[in-house]
Amino acid sequence: MKHYTGINDIGNLQQAVKEALELKNDKLKYRALGKDKTICLLFFNNSLRTRLSTQKAAQNLGMDVIVMNFGSEGWALEYDDGTVMDQGKSEHVKEAAQVVSQYATVIGIRAFAGLEDKEKDAAELVLNSFVKYASVPIVNMESSLQHPLQCLTDAITMEEYKIVGRKPKVVLSWAPHPKALPHAVANSFINMMQLQDADFVITHPIGYELDPKITKDILIEYDQEKAFENADFVYVKNWSSYRDYGQIKCTDPNWMITASKMKVTNNGKFMHCLPVRRNVVVTDEVIDSKNSLVIKQAANREFAAQIVLKKILENDETNSSENRRT
Ligand code: CP
């Protein structure tokens, strides 16, 4: 694997999940793999889990880690070609990406959607510019459209908690939120579920349909309670409207996840990527219940990142030894 920008880059998902769970049992086994290698994590947006778990995963593999809050500490970057840079942007991404590549074996990028311009967000300007101009592998730590480390984590967690021998029913449910949030987590979760053997349903208010190029023919059930019936996993996430791009069209608190809604599930597990707003998205009762997997999901972020970095380093090593032979 060269870059990890979306879940499909991992190859066989089931195999990757199996390998991640093996790593979880012996996380320092490949400590020699990252010796004398450095990962540089560039954050254009805030983070708790992604920052710490990716750092920990790299350290488990013996890598050195450099972290930079690029959004608040770096020079404002220009992305367009041929611009006369006489305004606020100080540095072109062409130089920035090449410069960072000299300090790092792998670069991680977090750059969220602006939610103002659908086409601009769809172009994944920050992520794709680093893929284009950097000379080392790029890991997507959440971009405008995708959060592939999160959905790999979710696949690992569902594998751990699924009922053996039963095809799981999984629901992706929208829930209310006071802020307009991006589509990346929901998009990636859907992409990952399309690689799973499961009954998968999405539920959200009318007007919250995600990009049909992502949802394709997945069942959308506008009745949340009906969608929850017999579910093994209820994955909850807010997103802003895709059609009326970036807008909040519904704040109805009846979409919040409550214990009475969870009662119609098959003793269903509650999942959320975090951070989450308690008693807006989900009641205390549900998130604090024994069926809540949110802390376990956060723990698995380490092993999702580690399997991704392991595959990148192994690929890098193979390429280096082939280059030495030729
Ligand atoms: N789930 C997730 O990506 O968390 P952070 O935004 O805190 O990294």
Side-chain angles (χ1 to χ4, degrees):
M1 182 168 62
K2 171 89 196 278
H3 305 292
Y4 185 66
T5 60
I7 190 70
N8 288 320
D9 292 331
I10 202 75
N12 184 317
L13 175 64
Q14 281 69 33
Q15 182 60 27
V17 166
K18 186 170 165 275
E19 288 175 33
L21 288 169
E22 284 164 10
L23 277 179
K24 192 171 179 176
N25 284 326
D26 192 0
K27 59 183 174 183
L28 301 182
K29 184 173 176 187
Y30 298 96
R31 214 170 163 73
L33 192 60
K35 188 175 178 297
D36 300 329
K37 308 256 166 89
T38 300
I39 186 166
C40 182
L41 307 178
L42 302 181
F43 285 88
F44 292 78
N45 301 96
N46 294 348
S47 171
L48 188 153
R49 281 143 290 272
T50 306
R51 177 169 173 161
L52 299 185
S53 63
T54 310
Q55 191 160 347
K56 188 74 168 56
Q59 287 167 344
N60 291 346
L61 292 167
M63 300 182 85
D64 290 322
V65 186
I66 305 171
V67 183
M68 181 173 180
N69 292 320
F70 208 105
S72 56
E73 296 165 355
W75 299 113
L77 293 184
E78 175 62 55
Y79 293 92
D80 291 337
D81 279 335
T83 308
V84 178
M85 289 173 55
D86 60 355
Q87 298 296 311
K89 308 286 175 62
S90 306
E91 178 159 30
H92 202 284
V93 69
K94 276 186 190 177
E95 284 81 53
Q98 291 180 75
V99 167
V100 179
S101 300
Q102 297 176 105
Y103 308 143
T105 317
V106 183
I107 300 173
I109 301 284
R110 165 165 280 204
F112 291 171
L115 291 179
E116 284 174 2
D117 182 332
K118 190 187 273 192
E119 277 70 44
K120 196 170 165 204
D121 286 345
E124 297 273 32
L125 206 56
V126 182
L127 182 74
N128 286 340
S129 296
F130 273 88
V131 168
K132 184 173 177 186
Y133 295 118
S135 54
V136 298
I138 301 296
V139 174
N140 181 354
M141 301 194 299
E142 188 173 343
S143 64
S144 299
L145 302 185
Q146 295 289 330
H147 195 354
L149 289 172
Q150 182 64 53
C151 72
L152 179 55
T153 299
D154 301 330
I156 294 166
T157 311
M158 286 196 289
E159 180 64 25
E160 288 181 299
Y161 289 92
K162 74 180 187 191
I163 299 168
V164 178
R166 175 180 154 88
K167 184 174 176 177
K169 177 176 175 183
V170 180
V171 182
L172 169 63
S173 179
W174 183 92
H177 200 283
K179 281 179 68 183
L181 297 188
H183 309 102
V185 170
N187 287 346
S188 283
F189 188 76
I190 292 166
N191 286 159
M192 180 275 290
M193 284 309 303
Q194 283 160 336
L195 304 172
Q196 298 276 23
D197 183 24
D199 291 327
F200 182 44
V201 184
I202 305 174
T203 183
H204 56 68
I206 291 170
Y208 274 88
E209 291 75 15
L210 288 155
D211 183 351
K213 288 197 288 303
I214 289 180
T215 54
K216 295 179 182 150
D217 58 355
I218 293 167
L219 176 65
I220 296 171
E221 171 55 69
Y222 295 106
D223 181 339
Q224 190 189 37
E225 209 160 309
K226 195 166 166 213
F228 277 30
E229 280 170 11
N230 221 18
D232 297 286
F233 296 97
V234 176
Y235 195 95
V236 179
K237 185 72 187 81
N238 170 270
W239 60 87
S240 55
S241 173
Y242 177 75
R243 188 182 62 195
D244 298 313
Y245 194 65
Q247 289 185 32
I248 297 175
K249 308 296 286 186
C250 173
T251 51
D252 184 356
N254 288 320
W255 277 85
M256 179 168 62
I257 312 306
T258 62
S260 70
K261 286 182 189 172
M262 293 300 286
K263 277 207 177 92
V264 303
T265 67
N266 182 33
N267 194 27
K269 304 284 190 283
F270 171 80
M271 297 181 77
H272 191 286
C273 63
L274 302 182
V276 69
R277 295 196 182 220
R278 283 171 171 254
N279 304 309
V280 175
V281 171
V282 57
T283 61
D284 286 337
E285 193 181 2
V286 172
I287 195 170
D288 292 333
S289 74
K290 67 175 176 34
N291 279 18
S292 171
L293 297 182
V294 296
I295 304 301
K296 309 217 169 11
Q297 282 172 264
N300 281 336
R301 290 295 306 268
E302 181 179 342
F303 309 104
Q306 196 170 334
I307 193 67
V308 166
L309 294 179
K310 177 174 175 283
K311 285 179 183 294
I312 287 174
L313 290 175
E314 285 169 345
N315 183 56
D316 197 54
E317 214 163 61
T318 308
N319 288 344
S320 304
S321 62
E322 272 172 12
N323 285 344
R324 278 197 295 275
R325 273 204 300 273
T326 53

